[in-house]
Amino acid sequence: MALEAKAQSRIKELSGGMKRRLVIARALLNEPELLILDEPTTGLDPQVRHLIWAKLRELKSQGVTILLTTHYMEEAQELCDRLLVMDKGKVLDSGKPDDLVKKSLPRFVLELPTALQKTMVDLPSAIQVEVHGDKSFLYSQSAEMLEKAAVELKGDFRIRTTGLEDLFLKLTGRDLHESE
């Protein structure tokens, strides 16, 4: 876990990221067959997060089963062979990350301010529109169709592929829950 330089340091002298790496290293001392991690990279810088991901991928390749909770969709995409999307203790969907996205969402999304979306006329029926606050999301299986719809726009917008974060927000909603 790249802690060799701190081998003689006391725990209280370590940074938060180093303490997190130490906790994971300690969990691996007895070579577990099952490793349970609760948001292992929350608050860590990108270098440390990628170091931990590399170690977890190595453990997976050695046959270690990893049960991971995370709010980071990039982390779930990177590490999970199978995932459960949960909200308020209920399983909303489960499966392979890519399969879940493909079955639930069109492949591409155009994100733009709602004011820009309102200037677009005669959108094809194959484009699904979702408005949330001051942002609009136009979904389609065709990036070209979204590009054609956006060709007259002047302003801040982008076309990207949909992913786990889009799926999570679709399943759980974009609004904050009162209990949080």
Side-chain angles (χ1 to χ4, degrees):
M1 297 305 275
L3 291 169
E4 294 83 3
K6 296 292 185 175
Q8 301 305 313
S9 299
R10 297 176 113 7
I11 293 174
K12 66 182 178 183
E13 297 169 353
L14 301 178
S15 70
M18 290 177 182
K19 288 177 184 174
R20 185 77 54 92
R21 287 185 277 161
L22 180 60
V23 166
I24 293 171
R26 286 175 51 192
L28 298 175
L29 286 176
N30 64 350
E31 299 180 359
E33 293 177 24
L34 172 65
L35 182 62
I36 301 172
L37 299 171
D38 183 19
E39 303 199 20
T41 63
T42 298
L44 299 180
D45 62 57
Q47 292 89 349
V48 174
R49 186 170 58 244
H50 284 267
L51 173 80
I52 290 172
W53 288 356
K55 183 61 178 175
L56 295 177
R57 282 192 303 271
E58 178 186 331
L59 291 167
K60 275 178 46 177
S61 73
Q62 295 169 359
V64 174
T65 299
I66 301 172
L67 178 62
L68 171 77
T69 63
T70 186
H71 284 97
Y72 294 143
M73 298 302 112
E74 180 186 5
E75 184 164 76
Q77 183 71 48
E78 182 75 23
L79 298 174
C80 296
D81 298 320
R82 179 173 164 76
L83 61 88
L84 299 174
V85 178
M86 296 182 70
D87 188 36
K88 298 179 186 174
K90 283 181 111 171
V91 175
L92 303 178
D93 210 344
S94 65
K96 294 180 179 181
D98 289 337
D99 293 346
L100 288 173
V101 173
K102 285 177 187 171
K103 82 173 187 177
S104 300
L105 294 166
R107 186 158 181 227
F108 299 98
V109 61
L110 166 62
E111 287 186 34
L112 65 162
T114 298
L116 282 180
Q117 184 260 321
K118 289 179 180 176
T119 67
M120 301 171 87
V121 293
D122 299 327
L123 287 175
S125 60
I127 293 179
Q128 303 167 25
V129 179
E130 176 189 338
V131 177
H132 184 75
D134 64 345
K135 257 192 152 174
S136 289
F137 303 86
L138 284 66
Y139 294 94
S140 175
Q141 290 294 359
S142 165
E144 292 78 20
M145 187 177 292
L146 293 174
E147 288 170 7
K148 189 175 177 183
V151 76
E152 299 297 322
L153 293 178
K154 301 208 180 358
D156 185 24
F157 67 90
R158 68 183 180 133
I159 296 173
R160 60 175 177 75
T161 56
T162 53
L164 284 178
E165 189 155 329
D166 298 297
L167 173 69
F168 183 84
L169 291 170
K170 176 184 178 189
L171 294 175
T172 63
R174 289 185 180 272
D175 293 320
L176 291 177
H177 302 297
E178 288 298 315
S179 64
E180 296 179 327

